[in-house]
């Protein structure tokens, strides 16, 4: 089976971490997002966030490898900015659904775009990309 499982089991994160061979760096915040995803109205948002996080991580890897002078970097940079904005909306909305005020805390922690928040954002999106990879390639193994 590939794709998103019909429901995420209680040991979903443990299995994903074991499959990836590393612990999640932002586990507590991923748990907040998973609690939000338990709501059928937000499940699609979580799935979109996983997809966008996987794209973001791949695109950032391309930028790191090619450098700023490479052809089409401007287009890719624009796409990354667009995806980052979409992720900000999705993730803060989901956090807010779990606890009032949590969305603003999430936005400040991950999307204030200073050096430390960008580092945290990279770690969170790496965790979400790990979950997407697990759902695509390892959830049934």
């Amino acid at each position: 089976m590939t794709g998103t499982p019909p429901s995420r089991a209680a040991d979903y994160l443990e299995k994903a971490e074991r499959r990836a061979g590393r612990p999640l760096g932002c586990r507590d915040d991923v748990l907040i997002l998973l609690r939000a995803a338990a709501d059928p109205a937000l499940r699609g948002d979580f799935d979109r966030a996983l997809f966008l996080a996987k794209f973001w991580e791949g695109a950032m890897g391309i930028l790191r490898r090619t450098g700023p002078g490479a052809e089409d970097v401007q287009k890719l940079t624009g796409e990354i900015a667009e995806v980052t904005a979409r992720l900000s909306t999705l993730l803060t909305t989901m956090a807010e659904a779990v606890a009032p005020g949590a969305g603003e805390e999430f936005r400040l922690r991950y999307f204030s775009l200073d050096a430390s928040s960008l580092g945290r954002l990279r770690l969170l999106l790496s965790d979400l990309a790990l979950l997407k990879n697990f759902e695509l390639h390892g959830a049934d193994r």
Side-chain angles (χ1 to χ4, degrees):
M1 176 180 149
T2 60
T4 305
S7 65
R8 291 172 176 94
D11 61 350
Y12 170 75
L13 292 183
E14 291 79 9
K15 285 182 178 180
E17 288 172 324
R18 206 169 25 255
R19 174 88 173 149
R22 74 163 178 91
L24 297 176
C26 299
R27 190 175 229 281
D28 290 343
D29 287 333
V30 170
L31 283 169
I32 289 170
L33 298 173
L34 277 172
R35 279 200 301 272
D39 178 344
L42 295 173
R43 181 181 167 89
D45 288 348
F46 185 76
D47 294 337
R48 272 186 292 286
L50 294 184
F51 174 82
L52 293 172
K54 184 169 173 54
F55 169 83
W56 192 93
E57 186 173 59
M60 291 301 285
I62 291 168
L63 283 180
R64 278 191 300 276
R65 286 188 303 279
T66 61
E71 193 174 317
D72 293 330
V73 165
Q74 191 171 21
K75 180 181 179 197
L76 186 58
T77 302
E79 290 173 352
I80 290 169
E82 181 182 320
V83 165
T84 302
R86 289 176 62 196
L87 282 163
S88 176
T89 300
L90 285 170
L91 300 180
T92 56
T93 299
M94 292 177 70
E96 188 67 27
V98 171
E104 182 61 17
E105 290 175 25
F106 224 81
R107 189 190 66 72
L108 291 172
R109 186 169 32 256
Y110 293 106
F111 298 99
S112 48
L113 302 181
D114 57 30
S116 60
S117 74
L118 286 172
R120 287 188 297 272
L121 177 63
R122 185 199 56 76
L123 189 57
L124 175 65
L125 296 183
S126 178
D127 287 351
L128 296 179
L130 177 152
L131 296 179
K132 181 64 176 176
N133 286 331
F134 173 66
E135 289 185 359
L136 288 172
H137 306 293
D140 60 342
R141 296 186 183 113

